[in-house]
Amino acid sequence: QVQLVASGGGLVQPGGSLRLSCAASGRTFSSYAMGWFRQAPGKEREFVAGLSRYGRNTRYADSVKGRFTISRDNAKNTVDLLMNSLKPEDTAVYYCAAREVGSTSYVPGAYEWKYWGQGTQVTVSS
């Protein structure tokens, strides 16, 4: 089992940038595909981005393509989400997620994630 701790949220103006980070416990971090989700007030949690075990493959929600970049460092057991050109509609609590997978190229779909970290609040407002 992996434990996840997300950090890096905050208040940012529209058009600004923010980097979220998620630290994972355990010695088998590279066995997990990693992802980010978000949940805005009154809305369901939605998939944002996912990354395969060694970072070779990625998947993004259409709403963040070209603005957000997910990356990982298996030596440090971390996964980051760089968010550029932020919009007020990006305001949400962001969660990191993990799923142990056998394939090195597979990125789980939106409903296949198993482990969740606590959220970190991102507010985009002027």
Side-chain angles (χ1 to χ4, degrees):
Q1 185 172 348
V2 63
Q3 294 184 330
L4 307 171
V5 178
S7 62
L11 173 64
V12 62
Q13 292 187 342
S17 298
L18 206 59
R19 180 185 289 271
L20 305 183
S21 187
C22 177
S25 65
R27 296 176 294 175
T28 58
F29 181 68
S30 62
S31 297
Y32 295 86
M34 299 299 297
W36 287 93
F37 284 71
R38 67 186 181 187
Q39 186 168 18
K43 295 187 177 181
E44 293 186 354
R45 185 166 56 190
E46 64 173 353
F47 173 80
V48 174
L51 186 67
S52 59
R53 287 172 53 186
Y54 294 97
R56 189 171 304 150
N57 293 327
T58 58
R59 183 182 297 185
Y60 294 94
D62 289 342
S63 58
V64 307
K65 280 181 182 176
R67 300 189 299 122
F68 289 12
T69 302
I70 187 171
S71 61
R72 66 188 295 162
D73 186 334
N74 284 355
K76 296 181 179 179
N77 284 15
T78 58
V79 58
D80 288 358
L81 184 69
L82 175 61
M83 305 183 293
N84 294 322
S85 302
L86 282 161
K87 305 175 181 180
E89 51 264 43
D90 294 318
T91 296
V93 178
Y94 283 71
Y95 300 87
C96 60
R99 170 68 187 264
E100 194 166 19
V101 296
S103 168
T104 58
S105 62
Y106 184 64
V107 181
Y111 302 101
E112 299 180 276
W113 299 86
K114 185 174 182 180
Y115 301 105
W116 301 89
Q118 96 294 356
T120 185
Q121 176 71 46
V122 172
T123 303
V124 185
S125 175
S126 55

